[in-house]
Amino acid sequence: TNAEFPPYEYHDGDKIVGIDMDIADAIAKKLGLEVQIEDIAFDSVIMEVTSGKADIGLAGISATDERKQSVDFSDTYTTSKQLIIVKDDSTIKGSKDLEGKTVGVQIGTTGDILASDIKDVKPERYYKGMDAVQALSQGKVDAVIIDSEVAKKFVEETSGLKVLDEAFADENYAIAIKKGNKELLDSVNKALSELKSDGTIDSIIAKYIKAE
């Protein structure tokens, strides 16, 4: 995982906690396994899975077609959107206003891909989402594109910033598993299905994300 992505995964003292970590624990419990968390750069998570260093990648990963070429994905466990963060006094009102602007993103994320697709945008890439948000506060970038719940969390913690209403396409978060490891994929999907049915996934998400 990449523990720079609250409320999905983040540091709480010397522990790594969050929605994804609780889901990993719940799946492991179903399968009679133990979780060992490795905190690495987000753009290395898929590579750790493909190389076999990690059994699963769980880091708020959107199951995009491009990523599906490298790994297999579990069933979706939650959905998200990409949102734009700007300063309170910014003239940017939506994605159309990003043309020609400098946009902060976390390397390898969907926000990084989206920023690269907007005409004349200059993406500034950071290893941590929070570093992009701090750069926005300091006036080094004009906006940040990042996942919705993460955006809300960062804006709560940083004064002078706001999240725009406009959202990019819906995304499906899923667990990355090495291609061809059907046994693990089937086991994870079975556990996920049971955790959805008995309300565990919903209660984990509700613990970290309060209903609006």
Side-chain angles (χ1 to χ4, degrees):
T1 196
N2 173 239
E4 304 293 342
F5 206 63
Y8 293 96
E9 38 272 316
Y10 58 98
H11 293 272
D12 182 11
D14 58 355
K15 283 183 73 179
I16 294 173
V17 299
I19 292 169
D20 287 346
M21 302 302 96
D22 284 8
I23 288 173
D25 284 334
I27 290 170
K29 201 171 173 184
K30 289 259 182 205
L31 304 182
L33 299 170
E34 279 182 29
V35 176
Q36 184 181 345
I37 301 169
E38 294 286 340
D39 179 22
I40 59 171
F42 182 80
D43 63 341
S44 300
V45 172
I46 299 266
M47 286 186 280
E48 291 281 301
V49 174
T50 56
S51 69
K53 287 182 184 172
D55 297 300
I56 64 170
L58 196 51
I61 304 172
S62 306
T64 62
D65 289 339
E66 188 184 350
R67 288 173 182 156
K68 285 174 186 173
Q69 292 171 16
S70 305
V71 291
D72 288 333
F73 277 104
S74 71
D75 296 335
T76 301
Y77 62 88
T78 192
T79 58
S80 184
K81 294 177 174 68
Q82 294 287 318
L83 295 180
I84 301 165
I85 307 175
V86 294
K87 281 187 158 184
D88 283 341
D89 59 358
S90 174
T91 57
I92 296 167
K93 301 287 183 260
S95 57
K96 287 191 177 77
D97 299 328
L98 292 177
E99 286 186 19
K101 298 287 194 288
T102 304
V103 177
V105 293
Q106 187 178 6
I107 293 172
T109 60
T110 320
D112 187 357
I113 297 159
L114 284 169
S116 306
D117 287 345
I118 300 168
K119 189 182 167 196
D120 294 335
V121 154
K122 296 183 275 290
E124 281 290 333
R125 297 181 170 91
Y126 298 88
Y127 283 107
K128 300 176 182 180
M130 192 62 201
D131 290 349
V133 173
Q134 282 170 345
L136 174 61
S137 282
Q138 294 159 4
K140 293 176 182 174
V141 299
D142 300 307
V144 170
I145 301 176
I146 203 159
D147 291 56
S148 55
E149 293 306 331
V150 182
K152 290 171 193 169
K153 202 84 178 163
F154 284 154
V155 167
E156 265 174 38
E157 295 166 359
T158 317
S159 62
L161 303 181
K162 64 182 178 184
V163 180
L164 299 183
D165 293 334
E166 181 194 330
F168 290 100
D170 284 329
E171 299 179 311
N172 297 315
Y173 281 178
I175 299 168
I177 293 170
K178 190 173 183 177
K179 265 203 175 304
N181 191 348
K182 193 173 181 310
E183 187 183 348
L184 181 59
L185 183 65
D186 290 348
S187 299
V188 166
N189 277 338
K190 183 174 182 289
L192 269 180
S193 174
E194 291 169 6
L195 293 165
K196 284 178 191 172
S197 296
D198 67 13
T200 302
I201 299 279
D202 285 343
S203 66
I204 287 172
I205 291 170
K207 176 177 154 189
Y208 293 95
I209 299 175
K210 302 289 176 262
E212 305 242 329

